[in-house]
């Protein structure tokens, strides 16, 4: 019994040793197979980006349609190719939004019977042309003398204005809506003025000082529908402008997709009723005595095409504050927008702009802060133009990036 038991015990021990050996062998084989399989997957994974990286996406127009075309290249690294694809997609989306805004603006103009720049031929003739900047001069029905003073100073007239559009890509229009009684004497007077000068942009908007925020939205929406420009500018009709200097300032930022340019400020929120620039919604800005967020002063500012398109697409949901410059600044809060503060856009009238011109810093815009424009502009803007205006050939010798 004892011998048999020992023999049986030895067999059990031998089997345990063999089982452990087999287990070790299987583990080693599994490890080798795992390493081989993992390396194979890694090599496949490494090879794929080189194939994907060798593709670029381009946007090509096809009539009214937009095509995404994939072209193969072999010079870019995967990271560079990915960044290029993202940039092209962003550009394509921006172009599609631009076309959407243009189509919607034209459709609403017809549907609402708005006298936008005469008729739809303007939309059709401008749809293919690229412009550098569109300047909208905010004006009112009772500002005929102001408009004439601007025409006599810094705003080219007749064939010279048309040449400015064709050769420099600069469009300038006085911007005005219609009266509360459509077709009344005020509207007829504006129509007669337009027939003579052909420099007014009529908006589907009821004029009123308390409606400037709404007018600003309508202006940008209308302008981006009519003209495909890099920049859209708003200026008041009692401000003097040097076009070449303004163009040179904007051209430095033409590669930035979302840029907001002006003289940035942050004034107090006026809660007391009856004062000028009273803010009825002062409570939204915190404690009494707080200041507004940073925004461009309303005498002159410029925005890039993407921002004008954004306003056009979202105009129905953008909130309007009492002051239009505050409203514009609020529309860009939360967006990836670069603010550019350039003090050449808010120079004073002589002697301030004269001194700056003597030092080589020609002003792009001049006005009096205490009047929110040139005080008595009808009488004084010619003097400002003669003393602070740039050379008459400056605009024709200037080169802007388009």
């Amino acid at each position: 019994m004892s011998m048999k038991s020992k023999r049986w015990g030895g067999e059990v021990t031998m089997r345990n040793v063999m089982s452990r050996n087999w287990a070790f062998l299987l583990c080693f084989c599994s490890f080798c197979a795992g390493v081989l399989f993992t390396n194979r997957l890694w090599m496949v994974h490494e090879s794929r980006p080189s194939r994907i990286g060798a593709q670029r996406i381009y946007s090509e127009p096809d009539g009214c349609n937009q095509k995404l075309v994939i072209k193969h290249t072999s010079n870019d690294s995967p990271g560079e190719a990915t960044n290029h694809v993202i940039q092209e997609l962003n550009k394509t989306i921006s172009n599609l939004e631009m076309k959407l805004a243009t189509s919607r603006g034209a459709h609403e103009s017809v549907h609402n019977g708005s006298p936008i720049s005469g008729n739809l031929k303007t939309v059709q003739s401008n749809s293919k042309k690229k412009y550098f900047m569109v300047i909208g001069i905010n004006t009112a029905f009772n500002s005929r003398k102001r408009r004439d003073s601007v025409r006599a100073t810094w705003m080219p007239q007749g064939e010279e204005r048309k040449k400015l559009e064709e050769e420099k890509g600069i469009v300038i229009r006085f911007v005005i809506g219609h009266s509360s009684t459509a077709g009344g004497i005020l509207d007829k007077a504006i129509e007669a003025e337009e027939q003579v000068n052909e420099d007014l942009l009529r908006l589907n908007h009821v004029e009123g000082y308390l409606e400037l925020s709404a007018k600003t939205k309508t202006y940008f929406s209308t302008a981006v529908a009519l003209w495909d420009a890099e920049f859209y500018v708003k200026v008041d009709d009692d401000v003097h402008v040097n076009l070449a200097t303004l163009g040179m300032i904007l051209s430095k930022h033409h590669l930035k997709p979302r840029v907001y340019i002006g003289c940035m400020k942050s004034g107090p929120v006026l809660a007391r009723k009856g004062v000028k620039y009273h803010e009825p919604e002062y409570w939204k800005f915190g404690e009494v005595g707080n200041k507004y967020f940073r925004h461009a002063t309303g005498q002159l500012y410029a925005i890039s095409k993407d921002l004008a398109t954004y306003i056009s697409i979202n105009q129905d949901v953008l909130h309007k504050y009492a002051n239009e410059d505050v409203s514009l600044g609020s529309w860009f809060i939360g967006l990836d927008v670069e603010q550019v503060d350039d003090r050449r856009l808010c120079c004073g009238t002589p002697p301030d702009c004269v001194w700056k011109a003597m030092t080589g810093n020609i002003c792009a815009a001049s006005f009096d802060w205490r009047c929110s424009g040139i005080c008595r502009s009808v009488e004084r803007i010619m003097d400002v133009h003669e003393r602070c205006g740039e050379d008459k050939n400056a605009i024709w010798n200037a080169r802007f990036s388009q």
Side-chain angles (χ1 to χ4, degrees):
M1 287 292 293
S2 61
M3 290 295 294
K4 191 175 182 179
S5 298
K6 287 181 180 179
R7 186 171 66 250
W8 179 257
E11 291 177 357
V12 172
T13 301
M14 183 62 67
R15 288 180 180 177
N16 289 338
V17 172
M18 293 178 66
S19 298
R20 285 197 296 271
N21 290 339
W22 277 107
F24 176 78
L25 181 61
L26 289 174
C27 288
F28 179 76
C29 293
S30 298
F31 173 76
C32 293
V35 171
L36 178 64
F37 184 69
T38 302
N39 286 341
R40 175 60 182 165
L41 282 182
W42 185 258
M43 287 187 293
V44 172
H45 180 71
E46 287 290 336
S47 66
R48 284 178 181 171
S50 64
R51 294 172 58 194
I52 297 175
Q55 296 177 347
R56 285 191 175 185
I57 297 181
Y58 293 86
S59 173
E60 291 187 356
D62 180 23
C64 295
N65 301 319
Q66 194 82 6
K67 287 185 177 180
L68 287 180
V69 180
I70 299 178
K71 295 185 178 180
H72 295 270
T73 62
S74 57
N75 296 327
D76 293 341
S77 65
E80 291 175 345
T82 301
N83 290 336
H84 185 82
V85 168
I86 293 173
Q87 292 174 2
E88 290 297 331
L89 288 175
N90 287 338
K91 182 178 179 181
T92 301
I93 292 172
S94 177
N95 289 337
L96 291 174
E97 288 178 341
M98 178 69 184
K99 290 184 178 181
L100 173 63
T102 301
S103 299
R104 189 174 72 173
H107 174 75
E108 290 181 353
S109 301
V110 176
H111 180 73
N112 296 326
S114 172
I116 292 181
S117 192
N119 50 52
L120 277 179
K121 291 182 180 179
T122 305
V123 181
Q124 295 170 352
S125 62
N126 294 338
S127 60
K128 298 295 183 180
K129 183 173 176 57
K130 301 290 184 181
Y131 294 89
F132 175 60
M133 63 176 169
V134 175
I135 302 175
I137 307 172
N138 183 46
T139 191
F141 286 110
N142 60 352
S143 298
R144 173 63 188 267
K145 290 183 178 180
R146 283 187 179 182
R147 290 192 292 275
D148 287 341
S149 68
V150 170
R151 292 180 179 120
T153 52
W154 63 267
M155 180 181 180
Q157 293 299 294
E159 292 301 319
E160 193 174 46
R161 181 172 59 80
K162 294 178 181 178
K163 180 182 176 182
L164 189 67
E165 294 181 9
E166 294 297 324
E167 296 186 6
K168 297 298 180 181
I170 299 176
V171 177
I172 309 175
R173 294 289 189 277
F174 288 102
V175 179
I176 191 168
H178 57 81
S179 65
S180 56
T181 56
I185 187 172
L186 294 176
D187 290 307
K188 290 180 179 179
I190 285 293
E191 291 170 6
E193 183 180 344
E194 166 64 8
Q195 289 179 356
V196 175
N197 297 284
E198 299 182 343
D199 58 3
L200 276 80
L201 173 63
R202 302 298 304 280
L203 303 179
N204 183 29
H205 166 80
V206 178
E207 285 291 326
Y209 180 77
L210 298 179
E211 297 297 327
L212 287 180
S213 293
K215 184 177 182 179
T216 300
K217 284 200 299 184
T218 306
Y219 159 61
F220 284 121
S221 301
T222 304
V224 82
L226 291 177
W227 298 285
D228 181 8
E230 291 192 36
F231 295 98
Y232 297 84
V233 181
K234 177 263 176 182
V235 61
D236 289 338
D237 60 4
D238 54 357
V239 173
H240 180 269
V241 178
N242 282 322
L243 292 174
T245 305
L246 175 61
M248 294 305 295
I249 291 174
L250 299 185
S251 65
K252 293 181 179 179
H253 307 284
H254 79 282
L255 295 179
K256 301 172 183 177
R258 293 172 299 278
V259 63
Y260 173 32
I261 306 171
C263 287
M264 300 297 166
K265 65 175 184 177
S266 180
V269 180
L270 302 178
R272 188 162 61 90
K273 291 183 178 180
V275 299
K276 191 176 182 180
Y277 306 126
H278 166 62
E279 179 55 72
E281 297 179 278
Y282 62 89
W283 54 271
K284 288 186 177 181
F285 299 91
E287 300 296 329
V288 175
N290 279 0
K291 291 185 176 182
Y292 286 114
F293 41 80
R294 196 168 180 260
H295 62 278
T297 187
Q299 285 82 2
L300 186 149
Y301 49 73
I303 61 176
S304 57
K305 181 177 72 173
D306 281 7
L307 294 182
T309 303
Y310 170 81
I311 293 174
S312 176
I313 294 173
N314 298 283
Q315 58 181 309
D316 294 334
V317 296
L318 294 176
H319 185 70
K320 303 185 295 294
Y321 288 101
N323 302 301
E324 53 98 6
D325 52 354
V326 173
S327 295
L328 184 75
S330 72
W331 299 338
F332 302 147
I333 291 180
L335 301 182
D336 185 14
V337 174
E338 179 177 347
Q339 289 190 357
V340 176
D341 180 24
D342 196 315
R343 310 315 286 185
R344 289 175 293 175
L345 298 174
C346 55
C347 296
T349 57
D352 181 58
C353 56
V354 176
W355 293 339
K356 291 177 179 177
M358 292 174 63
T359 61
N361 296 317
I362 298 177
C363 296
S366 299
F367 57 89
D368 298 307
W369 281 103
R370 70 181 186 276
C371 297
S372 298
I374 298 175
C375 298
R376 298 183 290 105
S377 64
V378 174
E379 294 83 12
R380 295 184 59 236
I381 194 171
M382 180 59 75
D383 176 65
V384 176
H385 182 66
E386 291 176 350
R387 300 175 66 184
C388 298
E390 59 198 1
D391 184 82
K392 63 180 182 179
N393 294 320
I395 186 63
W396 306 112
N397 296 329
R399 293 182 177 273
F400 309 122
S401 300
Q402 284 185 257

